[in-house]
Amino acid sequence: MKYCSLLLACCSLLFVNSNALSAEPRLVIHGGAGTIAKSDLTPKLEQAYLDQLKQALHVGYGVLENGGTSLDAVSAAVVVLEDSPLFNAGKGSSFSHEGRNELDASIMDGRDLSAGAVAGVRLVKNPIKLARTVMENSVHVMMAGSGAEAFARENALEMVEPDYFYTERRWQMLQRAKYPKEQTRIQPVAPLWEERKMGTVGAVAIDSEGNLAAATSTGGMTNKRYQRIGDSPIIGAGTYADNASCAVSATGHGEYFIRANVAHDICARLMYKKIPLQQAADEVIQQKLVSMGAKGGIIAIDNSGEVVMNFNTTGMYRGKIGPDGLEVAVYGEKAVISGE
Amino acid sequence: MKYCSLLLACCSLLFVNSNALSAEPRLVIHGGAGTIAKSDLTPKLEQAYLDQLKQALHVGYGVLENGGTSLDAVSAAVVVLEDSPLFNAGKGSSFSHEGRNELDASIMDGRDLSAGAVAGVRLVKNPIKLARTVMENSVHVMMAGSGAEAFARENALEMVEPDYFYTERRWQMLQRAKYPKEQTRIQPVAPLWEERKMGTVGAVAIDSEGNLAAATSTGGMTNKRYQRIGDSPIIGAGTYADNASCAVSATGHGEYFIRANVAHDICARLMYKKIPLQQAADEVIQQKLVSMGAKGGIIAIDNSGEVVMNFNTTGMYRGKIGPDGLEVAVYGEKAVISGE
């Protein structure tokens, strides 16, 4: 009898260990945070955002369900959002002061902290693919401008003409930022206007082997000057992933997110303070950033599969998918659509 | 008698508090880490390095002694090191694969986490001054390339021709990196060769008001390509300062320092694990980085004035100055020169 109990205890221990080794895959995405009120979006535009978020979730989760890595899943999801003209990343990116699209992106693999990032690229269709190629095919972590583009060409990434990224509503947003007092030709772009400093897309995931990854991509701040670099391509600020703690992708007023080292700070609080992900995110997004006067949000997933979507703005385009279903949302109030 | 003891206790408490409010100013600098053996440097060259480190310490400490801020002190010390042809920053910077000098720098103010950074500038004499101007005169934290240079011109910073940065020995180092099998014209550059991935300068300081600041400047990795950005201009990786914890400036194989988020990670361990600065630096430099196969070091100072100079290479050009005197050193063994 004594030996039976011992055997049973051993078996249950083995069972727990085996469970810990094979995680349930999950994917979380965002499409930017901002002061988004329900009155800002037409029902049709709102539905378009939700549909696009769902598509990105399905594509990324398809990778995970087929046994793919979290790294593959976050890349695939971000490519969908980059290719959509709705979000400020890839096609549909914001314009700089000079009327150019200067794109930033970064990606990180929680298995070994390997990372790739690009800043200020103008001719690469999917900056997130370039960030990943920097990580995998170079000795560097970060490249910028025409140097990064030369590397993209050598690695046969898809190049586009600058006008590929053009969308009328982002162009109008630049006009409004540059000439705030003029009324001509300016369309109502309230939701875009309020998210002009924080339009970004991103994804975090855990795969069936329990590995974490994070990816972030952006067109940056509307009307930015001097080849400004925001938090999205900064490992530690806009993106961080470490299997020892969590994966984070941020969207917000990038200057503050760099100064607060947002993504790594959330992971550090998990590791060193040994607090839950929700509390770590609250401390950084709802307390530290708010005390700095900084707006934005994050999505995060920890190494136990816990998911957090946390923002101090009125809205954040966001969604998550896992064995328990799919959810997408825009506003702060629980305007959540489940299933499909 | 009882009341006397109580009074005495109160007095000593008051004394401690008053001490905590007005800190003793201290300044710490580095000029890069690497595999530096005593046989690599001629006595004359070694003395030149030590003299230059001393000069930077005196200039920076002069600022602190005159009641200046830690921000002014780290700027002044780094300018001296940038202006010296000995170190890989400003004049004497390493060359990129294309034979260009592409300079990076960043600075951070521990009072309010404000920060400035520039990457890939070619025509600005003192990148650290530009980083500070970005912090103080723009809404951005980080600028790159010709955009950053346009901002420099608008702010009347001193511009130079590209050949200002040229030094023969850094040029020879590029030749050796590009054509490792050729023997022609290659001078013995062993100490430089070994520090080719980690030549950097930096400073951290605490001023009489207890405020912390950090600054880092570099020419980057010899033979770098594709407008590579290393850790020096990355807030959180190469530079971090927070009055709540510490100020850190790093020098090492930048790619690893970005992935490990070195500067902020040391501050985070101080804050969240509540361990001493020496232990936090050991955990990151001697354990985490070593386990990743990454070489380099840091200088740091915490908000109680505790100083740490920590490296996992055989040498790091470094020095510190405070009320208890001046020390400069190059090698790992205690080759320290005190006083002057």
Side-chain angles (χ1 to χ4, degrees):
Chain A
M1 192 60 192
K2 212 175 185 178
Y3 291 110
C4 273
S5 312
L6 199 64
L7 195 67
L8 217 67
C10 281
C11 281
S12 73
L13 263 176
L14 281 170
F15 186 68
V16 168
N17 277 340
S18 137
N19 250 9
L21 282 172
S22 67
E24 286 182 331
R26 286 178 195 282
L27 172 69
V28 196
I29 61 171
H30 71 78
T35 311
I36 314 166
K38 210 167 170 70
S39 55
D40 290 335
L41 291 175
T42 63
K44 199 177 155 190
L45 189 56
E46 181 181 333
Q47 194 55 49
Y49 274 109
L50 295 174
D51 288 346
Q52 202 69 85
L53 290 170
K54 281 184 202 169
Q55 195 201 336
L57 286 171
H58 283 305
V59 168
Y61 197 60
V63 171
L64 293 174
E65 284 189 310
N66 288 324
T69 63
S70 51
L71 198 64
D72 286 333
V74 295
S75 305
V78 167
V79 164
V80 172
L81 298 171
E82 282 182 341
D83 288 346
S84 161
L86 291 175
F87 303 99
N88 178 13
K91 184 167 183 66
S93 280
S94 62
F95 287 89
S96 73
H97 186 77
E98 297 79 13
R100 287 194 292 251
N101 303 110
E102 299 173 344
L103 285 60
D104 306 330
S106 66
I107 192 164
M108 190 160 185
D109 186 342
R111 282 176 294 197
D112 60 359
L113 306 183
S114 61
V118 291
V121 295
R122 298 174 192 168
L123 305 170
V124 178
K125 189 185 176 205
N126 290 110
I128 200 66
K129 289 186 183 174
L130 180 54
R132 183 161 178 187
T133 309
V134 169
M135 175 172 87
E136 293 178 341
N137 293 4
S138 88
V139 294
H140 298 323
V141 165
M142 189 169 187
M143 297 180 185
S146 58
E149 284 162 354
F151 179 77
R153 279 193 200 90
E154 286 177 23
N155 284 271
L157 268 85
E158 188 174 350
M159 310 299 286
V160 291
E161 293 299 312
D163 64 2
Y164 164 78
F165 299 106
Y166 181 91
T167 51
E168 177 65 15
R169 57 186 206 143
R170 297 280 175 195
W171 180 257
Q172 289 304 329
M173 212 162 105
L174 173 64
Q175 306 315 309
R176 183 171 158 182
K178 285 175 79 167
Y179 314 109
K181 289 186 180 164
E182 291 181 26
Q183 295 284 326
T184 51
R185 295 209 321 133
I186 307 298
Q187 300 166 359
V189 285
L192 288 175
W193 178 248
E194 288 302 336
E195 50 139 311
R196 72 195 184 281
K197 292 178 182 171
M198 37 194 131
T200 313
V201 308
V204 296
I206 188 167
D207 60 30
S208 60
E209 297 190 353
N211 293 315
L212 300 174
T216 311
S217 182
T218 189
M221 187 189 283
T222 294
N223 200 28
K224 64 185 177 184
R225 298 185 71 180
Y226 311 114
Q227 289 166 244
R228 171 256 192 188
I229 298 176
D231 65 317
S232 300
I234 304 295
I235 299 299
T239 303
Y240 209 75
D242 183 351
N243 274 4
S245 53
C246 62
V248 180
S249 171
T251 169
H253 191 154
E255 276 68 16
Y256 290 96
F257 279 57
I258 294 175
R259 291 164 55 195
N261 211 249
V262 166
H264 180 266
D265 195 20
I266 291 172
C267 295
R269 284 167 198 253
L270 231 74
M271 272 190 288
Y272 308 141
K273 295 179 80 173
K274 302 192 185 303
I275 55 174
L277 183 62
Q278 180 68 53
Q279 188 184 340
D282 277 342
E283 286 181 2
V284 175
I285 306 300
Q286 308 299 338
Q287 293 170 35
K288 185 178 176 182
L289 285 178
V290 167
S291 74
M292 293 172 79
K295 287 183 178 176
I298 56 101
I299 52 168
I301 189 162
D302 72 15
N303 56 13
S304 74
E306 188 70 25
V307 166
V308 165
M309 302 185 283
N310 202 313
F311 49 100
N312 62 31
T313 50
T314 57
M316 178 167 82
Y317 302 103
R318 64 198 185 278
K320 59 178 179 176
I321 189 166
D324 38 359
L326 174 151
E327 284 183 14
V328 287
V330 178
Y331 313 107
E333 65 269 12
K334 214 167 166 59
V336 172
I337 296 160
S338 294
E340 197 188 37
Chain B
M1 190 61 189
K2 212 176 184 177
Y3 291 110
C4 273
S5 311
L6 198 66
L7 196 66
L8 217 65
C10 282
C11 281
S12 73
L13 264 175
L14 280 171
F15 185 67
V16 168
N17 277 341
S18 137
N19 251 9
L21 281 172
S22 67
E24 286 181 332
R26 286 180 195 280
L27 171 70
V28 195
I29 61 171
H30 71 78
T35 311
I36 313 165
K38 208 166 172 70
S39 57
D40 290 334
L41 291 175
T42 63
K44 198 176 154 191
L45 188 56
E46 181 181 331
Q47 194 55 50
Y49 273 109
L50 295 174
D51 288 347
Q52 203 69 85
L53 289 169
K54 281 183 203 170
Q55 196 201 335
L57 285 171
H58 284 306
V59 168
Y61 197 59
V63 171
L64 293 174
E65 284 189 311
N66 287 324
T69 64
S70 51
L71 197 65
D72 287 333
V74 295
S75 306
V78 167
V79 164
V80 172
L81 299 171
E82 281 181 341
D83 289 346
S84 163
L86 292 174
F87 303 99
N88 179 14
K91 185 170 184 64
S93 280
S94 62
F95 286 89
S96 74
H97 186 76
E98 296 79 14
R100 287 194 291 251
N101 302 111
E102 299 173 345
L103 286 60
D104 305 330
S106 65
I107 193 164
M108 190 158 183
D109 186 340
R111 282 176 294 196
D112 60 359
L113 307 182
S114 60
V118 292
V121 295
R122 298 173 190 168
L123 306 170
V124 179
K125 189 184 175 204
N126 290 107
I128 200 65
K129 287 186 184 174
L130 179 54
R132 183 162 177 186
T133 310
V134 168
M135 174 173 87
E136 294 179 339
N137 292 4
S138 87
V139 295
H140 298 323
V141 165
M142 189 170 187
M143 299 180 186
S146 58
E149 285 162 354
F151 179 77
R153 279 194 200 90
E154 286 178 22
N155 284 271
L157 268 83
E158 189 173 351
M159 310 299 286
V160 291
E161 292 300 310
D163 64 2
Y164 163 79
F165 300 105
Y166 181 91
T167 52
E168 177 64 16
R169 58 185 205 141
R170 296 283 175 193
W171 180 256
Q172 289 302 330
M173 213 162 105
L174 173 64
Q175 306 314 309
R176 182 171 160 183
K178 285 176 80 168
Y179 315 110
K181 289 184 181 164
E182 292 180 25
Q183 296 284 324
T184 52
R185 295 205 323 135
I186 308 298
Q187 300 167 358
V189 284
L192 286 176
W193 177 248
E194 288 302 336
E195 52 137 309
R196 71 194 185 283
K197 293 178 182 168
M198 36 194 133
T200 312
V201 307
V204 296
I206 187 167
D207 60 30
S208 60
E209 294 190 354
N211 293 314
L212 300 174
T216 311
S217 181
T218 189
M221 187 189 283
T222 294
N223 201 28
K224 65 186 177 184
R225 298 185 72 181
Y226 311 113
Q227 290 167 240
R228 170 256 193 189
I229 298 176
D231 65 315
S232 300
I234 304 295
I235 299 299
T239 303
Y240 209 76
D242 182 351
N243 274 4
S245 52
C246 62
V248 180
S249 171
T251 168
H253 191 155
E255 276 66 16
Y256 290 96
F257 278 58
I258 293 175
R259 292 163 53 193
N261 210 250
V262 166
H264 180 266
D265 195 20
I266 292 172
C267 295
R269 284 167 198 253
L270 230 77
M271 268 189 293
Y272 308 142
K273 295 179 81 173
K274 302 193 185 302
I275 56 176
L277 182 62
Q278 179 68 53
Q279 188 185 339
D282 277 341
E283 286 180 1
V284 175
I285 305 301
Q286 309 299 337
Q287 294 169 33
K288 184 178 177 182
L289 285 178
V290 168
S291 74
M292 294 172 79
K295 287 183 178 177
I298 56 100
I299 53 169
I301 191 163
D302 73 13
N303 56 14
S304 74
E306 188 69 24
V307 166
V308 166
M309 301 184 283
N310 202 313
F311 49 100
N312 60 30
T313 51
T314 57
M316 179 167 81
Y317 303 103
R318 63 201 186 276
K320 60 179 180 175
I321 190 166
D324 39 0
L326 174 151
E327 283 182 15
V328 288
V330 178
Y331 313 108
E333 64 268 10
K334 215 167 165 60
V336 172
I337 295 158
S338 293
E340 196 190 42

